Amino acid sequence: MSDVEGPRHEWRVPRRVTALKAAGVVVFVVVALLGDRPQLLLAGVAALGFALLVFRDLYAPVRLAAGEDGLIVGGLAGKERISWNDVDRIRVDSRRRYGLTTELLEIDAGDQIHLFSRFDLGESVYDVAEALMRLRP
């Protein structure tokens, strides 16, 4: 992440979220081992899915970094640098459905839209959006 000059802010996946995903792997592996054939398949797929999420969290824990020159978005495919000039909009999308509220930080960078939840960033998406607006020239 040395591409961003000056002071840098980073937002990463909280360790407790990664630990919960790892616990999901263990639970579904146990269900797969103790269940019958249909349960084996479903629990195995769920365990694999959780294992991929844990791998992603360990491989790229920093999901978003920001500095004077722009943003760096991290994921399984690597890190992508986005200049502030390429950022069209930063906003929080909040939706209520089935009694649950989902809040996502949306960064619109031309042809790409990057979405982050509080589970990706480790803090409120509103706080991150405010910090990004302060950093943005």
Side-chain angles (χ1 to χ4, degrees):
M1 294 209 187
S2 60
D3 293 330
V4 176
E5 300 292 328
R8 182 179 68 213
H9 300 274
E10 291 183 346
W11 294 276
R12 61 181 54 236
V13 177
R15 288 187 177 130
R16 70 179 185 281
V17 171
T18 303
L20 286 172
K21 293 173 188 175
V25 172
V26 172
V27 166
F28 284 111
V29 166
V30 169
V31 169
L33 294 174
L34 298 177
D36 57 6
R37 181 170 234 111
Q39 287 176 334
L40 170 69
L41 179 63
L42 289 175
V45 169
L48 181 62
F50 274 105
L52 288 172
L53 292 174
V54 170
F55 176 75
R56 180 188 67 172
D57 290 354
L58 295 174
Y59 178 74
V62 176
R63 293 290 197 265
L64 180 64
E68 295 172 0
D69 289 349
L71 303 171
I72 296 176
V73 177
L76 275 178
K79 298 174 185 170
E80 179 182 353
R81 187 181 183 305
I82 302 170
S83 168
W84 283 118
N85 293 332
D86 296 332
V87 176
D88 296 329
R89 182 174 57 176
I90 298 170
R91 74 180 191 105
V92 174
D93 181 36
S94 181
R95 297 176 189 251
R96 187 164 175 85
R97 186 177 215 181
Y98 303 118
L100 300 173
T101 301
T102 302
E103 298 168 342
L104 294 174
L105 173 66
E106 180 181 302
I107 299 173
D108 184 351
D111 294 339
Q112 301 174 348
I113 295 179
H114 300 277
L115 301 172
F116 303 95
S117 73
R118 67 183 175 106
F119 301 112
D120 292 317
L121 303 172
E123 63 182 86
S124 164
V125 294
Y126 289 101
D127 294 342
V128 175
E130 185 178 313
L132 291 175
M133 294 306 286
R134 282 194 313 266
L135 286 168
R136 188 176 183 181

